Amino acid sequence: MDYNTAVTDTLLEIIADRELIDPGKTAEIVADYYNGYVVQRILQVMEESGVNQNELAKRIERSRQYVSKILNEKRNFTIQTLALFSCALDCELLIEVTKNQQPV
C-alpha cells in the first residue's frame, strides 16, 4: 500500500465515522481539510481506474502540470474543475452542505 492510499483510507474512515471539524475553526482550515480530502479521493479513483496524471490531463484537455498542481494541493480548484475531473474519471461528484450535528 502506498502513502497516498494509506492517507486516503484514513480520511475515508474519518468521514465514514462522521467525525466533523470543530465548527469554531476558520474557513481556511476547513477549506484546507476538504481540499486534501477531495485530492485524496481523486487519487484513489485514478489508482482504481488505472489513470495516471498524463492520461487525466489528456482527458480534460489541460497540461500535466495543471493536473499536478491540483493533485499536489498547490492550486485551489473550483466546482467546475471538480466536475471536469469527475467526468474525465467517469465518477459521480457529490457535494453536500449540512447543519453541524450537535454532540450527543
Side-chain angles (χ1 to χ4, degrees):
M1 179 182 306
D2 66 11
Y3 172 77
N4 287 334
T5 302
V7 171
T8 298
D9 290 346
T10 300
L11 287 170
L12 292 176
E13 287 175 22
I14 291 169
I15 298 300
D17 291 339
R18 306 282 303 163
E19 182 176 312
L20 302 175
I21 295 175
D22 178 358
K25 299 291 184 191
T26 66
E28 183 178 358
I29 291 171
V30 174
D32 285 346
Y33 174 85
Y34 284 106
N35 186 1
Y37 171 75
V38 168
V39 165
Q40 292 303 317
R41 289 293 295 133
I42 290 169
L43 289 169
Q44 183 179 35
V45 170
M46 287 173 63
E47 184 178 321
E48 291 169 356
S49 303
V51 174
N52 62 29
Q53 289 186 22
N54 288 328
E55 177 61 25
L56 182 57
K58 286 179 190 173
R59 291 182 184 188
I60 65 171
E61 299 178 350
R62 301 287 194 282
S63 69
R64 191 201 56 77
Q65 291 80 7
Y66 173 84
V67 171
S68 179
K69 283 181 182 178
I70 289 176
L71 297 179
N72 289 313
E73 300 181 48
K74 306 235 185 277
R75 179 177 180 152
N76 286 329
F77 45 83
T78 63
I79 292 174
Q80 180 70 34
T81 303
L82 292 177
L84 187 65
F85 278 48
S86 174
C87 290
L89 293 168
D90 192 30
C91 60
E92 186 174 5
L93 174 61
L94 302 173
I95 299 173
E96 181 179 315
V97 177
T98 60
K99 183 145 178 69
N100 285 332
Q101 298 175 4
Q102 297 298 321
V104 181

